[in-house]
């Protein structure tokens, strides 16, 4: 049989999801894939049941149910400092994953360059390739701060977009206002679009604040802001996200979105309004609970011999495993098979390198994390 070349040949399947399957096969504790093992808020379950029973079971408007878009606009103005027209500047998608892919396909022409800071969430590289872009990887500096000279050099006449993720997966870095202003200035100078993944925007620690680059002066019409219900409300299986952009960019994104998925699940869009109407206390408790889990896992990893530090945001700890004498893939499999704990090999987050890293998630119940830490003590 003749097999013609495909752009899919240039990247692998998701390593994160592969680790989940491997963990299930060995009955390991899954600290690889970032989904909670605790329930979502009861208000969301009740709203979802009501939406189903009230027969919101057919297609919603392609770019999103009107009440949900209105709720997003209200939330974004209050929290992110951006004023958006829900009729022309908000697109509801099948999770942030589709929002990113639809945005890339809408904005990129083959041969354009997209800047991807690394380490990066594993989808970003394949997203660039699928959209026909040439990814240009630019590393964080020491301490995951921005190496300004390296970032300046990454922008060329071919650069069409830069992908930003704050709080960052896998490092937990939260971009500062000064860093975002630096990036905004580069985008303005080179006529580049910032595509910013902000799905962990409410999961912050130690006084760090979330700033949306789209709220900075001059970035209103050159930013696509991507959000999702998955992480903030512990509903990763709902697959409800959104892309926010000026009307010109949104018009293109909506066309791609329409032909990719037609629309996100209608009953869950209606239920999502209840999520966005939760009181401010919900977000304080969310950050407080994750801070506690962060410290549980951090203490366990340090005790087991991992070199790591507390993240500023999101719900991952990115560790250095140089001291264990194994590469990331070998060590990840060793952990699953002999210790019973799953993590993600660090090379999944780099275009080259990362073999001395592993990523662990603490989006789990306290008792799950304590048991994982107990198992990791066997490494000693």
């Amino acid at each position: 049989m003749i097999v013609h070349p495909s752009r899919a040949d240039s990247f692998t399947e998701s390593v994160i999801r592969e680790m989940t399957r491997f963990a299930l096969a060995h009955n390991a504790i899954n600290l690889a894939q970032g989904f909670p093992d605790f329930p979502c808020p009861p208000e969301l379950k009740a709203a979802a049941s009501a939406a189903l029973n009230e027969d919101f079971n057919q297609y919603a408007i392609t770019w999103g149910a009107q009440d949900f878009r209105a709720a997003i606009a209200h939330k974004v103005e209050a929290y992110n400092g951006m004023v958006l027209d829900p009729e022309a500047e908000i697109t509801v998608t099948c999770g942030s994953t589709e929002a990113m892919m639809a945005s890339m396909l809408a904005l990129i022409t083959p041969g354009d360059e997209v800047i991807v800071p690394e380490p990066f969430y594993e989808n970003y590289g394949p997203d660039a390739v699928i959209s026909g872009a040439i990814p240009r990887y630019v590393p964080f500096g020491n301490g995951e701060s921005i190496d300004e000279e390296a970032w300046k050099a990454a922008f060329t006449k071919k650069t069409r977009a830069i992908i930003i993720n704050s709080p960052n997966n896998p490092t937990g870095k939260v971009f500062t206002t000064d860093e975002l202003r630096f990036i905004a200035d580069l985008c303005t100078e080179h006529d580049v679009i910032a595509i910013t993944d902000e799905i962990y925007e409410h999961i912050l620690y130690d006084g760090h604040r979330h700033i949306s680059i789209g709220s900075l002066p001059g970035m209103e019409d050159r930013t696509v802001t991507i959000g999702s219900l998955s992480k903030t409300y512990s509903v990763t299986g709902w697959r409800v996200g959104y892309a926010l952009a000026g009307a010109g960019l949104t018009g293109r994104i909506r066309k791609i979105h329409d032909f990719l998925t037609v629309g996100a699940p209608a009953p869950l869009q209606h239920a999502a309004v209840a999520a966005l109407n939760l009181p401010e206390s919900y977000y304080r408790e969310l950050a407080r609970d994750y801070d506690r889990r962060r410290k549980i896992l951090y203490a366990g990893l340090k005790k087991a011999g991992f070199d790591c530090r507390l993240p500023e945001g999101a719900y991952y700890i990115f560790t250095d495993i140089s001291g264990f004498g194994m590469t990331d893939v070998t060590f990840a499999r060793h952990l699953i098979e002999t210790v019973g704990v799953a993590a993600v090999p660090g090379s999944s987050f780099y275009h080259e390198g990362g073999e001395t890293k592993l990523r662990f998630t603490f989006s789990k119940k306290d008792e799950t994390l304590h048991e994982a830490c107990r198992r990791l003590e066997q490494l000693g």
Side-chain angles (χ1 to χ4, degrees):
M1 181 177 68
I2 298 175
V3 179
H4 294 284
S6 163
R7 65 186 65 193
D9 299 337
S10 64
F11 53 86
T12 66
E13 294 181 71
S14 164
V15 176
I16 296 172
R17 268 77 82 187
E18 179 188 5
M19 288 298 106
T20 287
R21 293 190 292 271
F22 198 45
L24 287 170
H26 290 268
N27 198 30
I29 295 174
N30 186 0
L31 302 188
Q33 193 168 0
F35 62 86
D37 64 348
F38 48 84
C40 72
E43 297 93 332
L44 273 66
K45 296 180 188 179
S49 297
L52 288 167
N53 290 327
E54 292 167 17
D55 267 332
F56 288 104
N57 296 314
Q58 312 308 324
Y59 297 124
I61 295 172
T62 297
W63 47 81
Q66 189 173 31
D67 57 346
F68 184 37
R69 283 184 283 116
I72 293 171
H74 178 76
K75 171 264 176 191
V76 167
E77 182 174 1
Y79 184 72
N80 304 85
M82 298 186 294
V83 178
L84 295 161
D85 177 3
E87 296 304 315
E89 298 179 317
I90 295 176
T91 307
V92 178
T93 60
C94 292
S96 62
T97 301
E98 192 231 326
M100 178 64 71
M101 191 72 262
S103 299
M104 296 281 280
L105 290 169
L107 303 176
I108 299 302
T109 57
D112 287 344
E113 293 181 354
V114 173
I115 297 173
V116 183
E118 67 176 355
F120 51 84
Y121 175 54
E122 66 173 6
N123 281 34
Y124 300 158
D127 284 347
V129 172
I130 291 169
S131 65
I134 300 168
R136 285 178 63 88
Y137 300 97
V138 57
F140 291 118
N142 292 332
E144 283 113 27
S145 61
I146 285 180
D147 181 340
E148 292 191 358
E149 294 307 311
W151 283 52
K152 288 178 183 177
F155 282 76
T156 74
K157 293 180 179 179
K158 293 183 178 179
T159 305
R160 176 59 175 151
I162 180 170
I163 297 174
I164 303 167
N165 176 210
S166 180
N168 179 262
N169 173 11
T171 67
K173 172 184 171 54
V174 176
F175 281 71
T176 66
T177 302
D178 287 344
E179 288 172 328
L180 292 173
R181 284 178 179 148
F182 168 74
I183 297 169
D185 288 343
L186 287 173
C187 289
T188 301
E189 178 184 350
H190 295 274
D191 192 23
V192 166
I193 302 295
I195 306 175
T196 172
D197 182 346
E198 303 184 4
I199 64 173
Y200 301 100
E201 62 185 351
H202 290 286
I203 304 176
L204 302 160
Y205 315 108
D206 304 327
H208 286 281
R209 292 177 59 244
H210 176 72
I211 305 296
S212 292
I213 192 171
S215 69
L216 300 183
M219 293 302 291
E220 299 89 349
D221 293 323
R222 63 172 69 255
T223 302
V224 179
T225 303
I226 291 171
S228 170
L229 270 67
S230 291
K231 314 301 183 180
T232 301
Y233 306 103
S234 303
V235 287
T236 62
W238 279 25
R239 313 313 302 137
V240 177
Y242 49 84
L244 316 173
L249 297 178
T250 293
R252 293 177 171 181
I253 293 169
R254 285 179 172 183
K255 282 192 245 181
I256 299 295
H257 159 71
D258 190 0
F259 288 108
L260 275 178
T261 62
V262 179
L268 299 182
Q269 289 189 54
H270 288 281
V273 176
L276 297 186
N277 286 334
L278 287 171
E280 284 300 314
S281 60
Y282 172 80
Y283 303 99
R284 292 193 296 271
E285 292 169 7
L286 178 79
R288 183 200 64 199
D289 290 345
Y290 271 122
D291 182 39
R292 184 183 66 253
R293 297 177 185 121
R294 174 181 71 138
K295 291 172 180 174
I296 292 171
L297 181 59
Y298 174 76
L301 290 171
K302 293 292 285 186
K303 187 174 182 181
F306 290 87
D307 183 5
C308 57
R309 60 185 181 180
L310 288 167
E312 298 171 347
Y315 52 48
Y316 307 100
I317 296 180
F318 205 39
T319 67
D320 190 299
I321 59 168
S322 303
F324 290 99
M326 285 183 271
T327 61
D328 60 327
V329 174
T330 300
F331 192 36
R333 289 184 171 271
H334 171 74
L335 282 180
I336 291 173
E337 292 174 335
T338 65
V339 178
V341 176
V344 182
S347 53
S348 172
F349 306 101
Y350 293 84
H351 81 290
E352 290 180 353
E355 291 86 357
T356 61
K357 305 284 188 181
L358 281 186
R359 189 201 76 176
F360 295 82
T361 181
F362 50 91
S363 57
K364 309 296 174 182
K365 294 181 289 191
D366 289 18
E367 51 265 41
T368 303
L369 295 172
H370 282 302
E371 174 59 19
C373 292
R374 187 193 66 78
R375 295 184 186 190
L376 287 170
E377 288 181 20
Q378 300 174 45
L379 290 170

